Amino acid sequence: MSVPRGAVHAKWIVGKVIGTKMQKTAKVRVTRLVLDPYLLKFFNKRKTYFAHDPLQQCVVGDIVLLKALPERRSKHVKHELAEIVFKVGNVIDPITGRPCAGTRFLENLSDSENLTEADATYLSEKLQELKVCSTDK
Amino acid sequence: MPMKGRFPIRRTLQYLSQGDVIFKSSVKVMTVNYNTAGELSEGARKFVFFNIPQIQYKNPWVQIMLFRNMTPSPFLRFYLDNGEQVLVDVEDKTNKEITEHIKKILGKSKETLEKEERERKKLSHPATFGPKKYHLRECMCEIEGQVPCPAFVPLPKEMRGKYKAAVKSEASA
């Protein structure tokens, strides 16, 4: 490689996937905090990058880590997908390793465990009624 | 503009320049995951509110991303240039502890900062004068021990071109 990896200023970036309609390419929106010179407050400034995704495994809404390619692949594609940090709908908490959604863990949710005694008796009665109906017919 | 909002001191240059976390050049991206409710995320929330502006001001080339209410536990994640990722759990920590911790693991040490400061000082010579951008003083008249500016103190007769020309013409005549 005659050109060292520096053809692009941003070597590693994290962004959100906004489009996957192109073949093997993901459109990624990257936000950086930019200081407003008068208000002296930081605001998010967006920029879209195109990333090469050979296995087309990105879905709109994923948070991904992009790595700069040593040389640009096409006119606009200068990065490739390094890893999917958070998959939409399937976020894994890196500290515990368990799937989660918002502020709850998703593992231990199952109906039979959360039923109380009264619920169980009510449901079994309902089932009995249904059995009687079916024999009548 | 008057100081508007909660804690408007965060929006002063003096406060921003007081940040002491300067990341090593290998840190490229910093990601903060925190929750907007809950006791455990309190320190992370304060960190985002007070310290993130200071860090971004001192490290303008590091991308900082904030994620809210994605996972139950708050954490920080750094992506380094060699592909390494550093995960920092900040559950139940105050914002001061968080800044101290990241300063220790990923911040430039005091010696490195002093060395860089000395390198920068070497480039400029304090005795020269010229444009304000590159030198301390603009004109020779500002240096102590040199002839003062004739705009403020008139030059003695013998230095003025008018007198010298008159003496020359008198001598030749």
Side-chain angles (χ1 to χ4, degrees):
Chain A
M1 295 287 182
S2 54
V3 175
R5 201 159 62 91
V8 175
H9 193 259
K11 311 273 188 329
W12 294 88
I13 33 182
V14 170
K16 186 172 179 176
V17 174
I18 48 177
T20 53
K21 294 232 171 85
M22 296 178 284
Q23 287 165 354
K24 297 194 180 169
T25 317
K27 195 197 279 188
V28 177
R29 175 178 287 158
V30 166
T31 59
R32 285 176 214 237
L33 289 171
V34 171
L35 183 67
D36 181 273
Y38 183 66
L39 292 177
L40 288 180
K41 187 176 167 169
F42 284 97
F43 292 100
N44 280 322
K45 185 172 176 178
R46 320 161 152 178
K47 189 166 177 180
T48 41
Y49 289 89
F50 292 102
H52 179 60
D53 176 20
L55 304 166
Q56 279 189 287
Q57 49 179 318
C58 287
V59 180
V60 175
D62 289 348
I63 310 289
V64 297
L65 174 71
L66 305 179
K67 181 173 169 168
L69 289 166
E71 48 188 32
R72 60 162 73 181
R73 204 184 150 79
S74 75
K75 184 175 166 199
H76 293 289
V77 178
K78 297 161 277 195
H79 298 268
E80 64 168 351
L81 179 75
E83 74 162 297
I84 300 179
V85 177
F86 296 118
K87 187 108 185 98
V88 66
N90 192 10
V91 175
I92 309 269
D93 182 10
I95 307 257
T96 52
R98 294 151 68 183
C100 58
T103 48
R104 301 183 313 154
F105 287 110
L106 289 177
E107 269 176 344
N108 295 335
L109 294 176
S110 59
D111 282 335
S112 54
E113 281 181 16
N114 290 346
L115 287 177
T116 59
E117 284 278 346
D119 289 337
T121 45
Y122 177 76
L123 279 173
S124 55
E125 276 172 16
K126 282 284 169 190
L127 274 170
Q128 288 285 331
E129 279 176 29
L130 284 170
K131 275 186 198 151
V132 168
C133 289
S134 59
T135 47
D136 276 348
K137 289 206 179 102
Chain B
M1 178 145 274
M3 295 289 247
K4 285 190 175 178
R6 289 184 297 166
F7 294 98
I9 194 170
R10 297 175 299 142
R11 299 196 288 117
T12 52
L13 280 173
Q14 196 196 18
Y15 176 84
L16 291 174
S17 49
Q18 267 171 5
D20 52 357
V21 181
I22 300 181
F23 287 130
K24 297 181 185 162
S25 51
S26 62
V27 177
K28 297 287 172 199
V29 186
M30 173 168 142
T31 303
V32 185
N33 269 275
Y34 65 105
N35 294 328
T36 46
E39 274 288 323
L40 303 166
S41 263
E42 186 62 39
R45 261 174 276 146
K46 289 245 167 349
F47 175 73
V48 166
F49 191 72
F50 288 111
N51 301 74
I52 291 266
Q54 288 178 320
I55 295 174
Q56 181 76 103
Y57 185 75
K58 288 286 177 173
N59 305 281
W61 299 112
V62 171
Q63 183 198 356
I64 298 184
M65 282 207 94
L66 307 172
F67 295 109
R68 286 170 198 97
N69 300 325
M70 281 188 91
T71 71
S73 48
F75 59 92
L76 264 64
R77 214 190 211 156
F78 298 89
Y79 296 87
L80 306 185
D81 206 8
N82 50 10
E84 208 182 311
Q85 292 178 20
V86 182
L87 185 66
V88 181
D89 188 7
V90 300
E91 201 165 323
D92 238 349
K93 281 195 185 155
T94 62
N95 66 341
K96 248 198 170 75
E97 285 172 22
I98 301 171
T99 39
E100 288 296 309
H101 187 67
I102 57 176
K103 190 172 164 194
K104 198 162 62 168
I105 53 174
L106 290 166
K108 278 190 182 155
S109 64
K110 228 164 133 196
E111 293 90 34
T112 340
L113 287 169
E114 278 173 10
K115 206 160 75 165
E116 282 177 7
E117 185 69 41
R118 264 180 275 139
E119 293 290 309
R120 254 177 284 148
K121 272 207 182 135
K122 264 192 208 170
L123 294 170
S124 60
H125 192 62
T128 49
F129 53 90
K132 270 263 184 287
K133 192 175 165 190
Y134 304 106
H135 305 269
L136 292 170
R137 293 161 290 211
E138 262 199 314
C139 178
M140 194 192 264
C141 64
E142 291 173 44
I143 303 174
E144 315 78 49
Q146 297 297 327
V147 172
C149 190
F152 299 103
V153 172
L155 287 174
K157 227 173 18 162
E158 293 82 17
M159 284 191 190
R160 296 189 68 198
K162 190 173 178 180
Y163 180 80
K164 281 191 213 169
V167 162
K168 204 186 221 179
S169 63
E170 211 170 297
S172 61

